[in-house]
Amino acid sequence: MTSTSWIQQLATITAAGESAVLVTVAEHKGSTPREAGAKMIVTSEQCYDTIGGGHLEHKAIKHARLLLANRAQRSQIEHFALGASLGQCCGGAITLLFEPINPPALTVAIFGAGHVAKALVPIIGHLPCQVRWIDSREHEFPSIIPSNTQPIISEQPTDDVQDLPPNSYVLVMTHNHQLDQAIVETVLARKDALHLGMIGSDTKRRKCEHRLRHKGFTEQEIMQLTCPIGLTSISGKLPGEIAVSVAAHLIQTYQQQVATACKQGTQNTSSHAEIHHLG
């Protein structure tokens, strides 16, 4: 067990691509170990925080891991009487909400196989994601590529934008500014990317914004583009330095989005939860 804030821990777990079950005391009557609102996170190997300990918690952990093993998607509500059958003589009753948290399979699309991309792909190769690495120049792809990375040789990279799954993270860093612009426009037109970044300077961004406005994109759509990419706190112009900065920014963006999604998820009502009674 650890006392780390449950929301921080849940964000860390899901950002690592691991599934978990959030166990919440939804209701309590009489004398109970914890009051409504107490939470515990259960993964296949660890538990974080507590709903009161004892046989109740043991049984809750066992049920949560059964949900994980079955890859459950829907929430469940379980009712427990804290009597002799649970070895807890509080005399009260408690209702637990089990919410499976299954992080989506993350796709990162990298357009361009230049020096920065070559330095970036091995870093992202250690992350829990699937990478689509797209370029028209076959000779630019190195002989050794991480196992999570699929090199795609494409004469029309904009066509490959249409093949991306929803909620992809897109990084644009080709050898051609006009091609970068076309890819950005195609991604924005789809309206379903979780992140869109383009390598370049502030001047390149201003020119890109001007063209986007001319094409009829709204200010809200244009603001979805991140350019320049990378963390401003990491300086340096070497490909490796830029790659580390871009990877760090990508991880930061993903973790922030996961934390926000987790927080919003816990605010939803349990009106659609399955209701069960455990003896």
Side-chain angles (χ1 to χ4, degrees):
M1 295 283 184
T2 176
S3 59
T4 303
S5 167
W6 71 267
I7 188 66
Q8 294 175 336
Q9 192 61 55
L10 186 58
T12 300
I13 291 169
T14 51
E18 186 176 2
S19 295
V21 174
L22 179 62
V23 184
T24 304
V25 178
E27 184 180 23
H28 75 286
K29 295 180 181 179
S31 179
T32 57
R34 297 290 302 275
E35 296 183 347
K39 298 179 185 295
M40 175 177 67
I41 301 170
V42 180
T43 71
S44 59
E45 300 292 338
Q46 298 289 332
C47 296
Y48 304 90
D49 219 316
T50 178
I51 57 169
H55 193 56
L56 167 67
E57 185 161 294
H58 172 76
K59 202 161 188 176
I61 292 171
K62 183 177 180 180
H63 184 68
R65 287 184 173 151
L66 179 62
L67 295 180
L68 289 171
N70 292 333
R71 300 182 182 275
Q73 300 294 320
R74 298 183 62 186
S75 299
Q76 292 185 3
I77 291 177
E78 313 287 348
H79 302 287
F80 298 85
L82 301 182
S85 63
L86 283 180
Q88 293 181 252
C89 299
C90 301
I94 198 165
T95 299
L96 300 181
L97 171 64
F98 293 79
E99 297 178 273
I101 308 295
N102 299 299
L106 177 62
T107 296
V108 178
I110 301 175
F111 289 87
H115 295 305
V116 174
K118 287 186 177 72
L120 177 63
V121 167
I123 300 174
I124 298 181
H126 294 285
L127 302 179
C129 62
Q130 295 298 315
V131 180
R132 297 190 185 189
W133 193 8
I134 304 158
D135 199 294
S136 61
R137 303 164 297 171
E138 182 176 4
H139 64 276
E140 289 293 344
F141 290 105
S143 57
I144 300 176
I145 294 177
S147 59
N148 70 340
T149 302
Q150 176 189 7
I152 299 174
I153 303 166
S154 175
E155 293 298 326
Q156 297 293 334
T158 52
D159 292 342
D160 292 275
V161 172
Q162 304 300 339
D163 295 331
L164 295 177
N167 303 317
S168 294
Y169 282 59
V170 181
L171 297 173
V172 184
M173 48 182 69
T174 78
H175 60 291
N176 185 300
H177 288 340
Q178 291 181 336
L179 180 56
D180 284 354
Q181 179 78 30
I183 293 170
V184 166
E185 292 175 4
T186 308
V187 173
L188 288 178
R190 276 195 54 164
K191 303 181 186 297
D192 63 358
L194 279 182
H195 176 73
L196 171 60
M198 179 176 69
I199 198 168
S201 62
D202 290 329
T203 299
K204 182 177 179 179
R205 181 188 177 90
R206 287 193 293 270
K207 291 180 179 179
C208 180
E209 287 181 349
H210 176 75
R211 296 188 184 101
L212 290 173
R213 292 188 185 97
H214 184 71
K215 292 285 184 71
F217 288 93
T218 67
E219 293 302 313
Q220 184 177 6
E221 290 171 332
I222 293 172
M223 287 304 295
Q224 294 174 23
L225 172 65
T226 298
C227 179
I229 52 177
L231 295 179
T232 57
S233 59
I234 300 179
S235 61
K237 297 185 180 297
L238 294 176
E241 294 171 327
I242 298 172
V244 169
S245 176
V246 171
H249 187 213
L250 185 71
I251 294 169
Q252 181 186 71
T253 300
Y254 176 64
Q255 290 183 342
Q256 288 173 344
Q257 291 178 340
V258 166
T260 299
C262 290
K263 186 174 182 179
Q264 291 174 344
T266 61
Q267 293 173 348
N268 293 335
T269 66
S270 59
S271 59
H272 298 292
E274 296 177 349
I275 300 177
H276 298 264
H277 297 268
L278 293 184

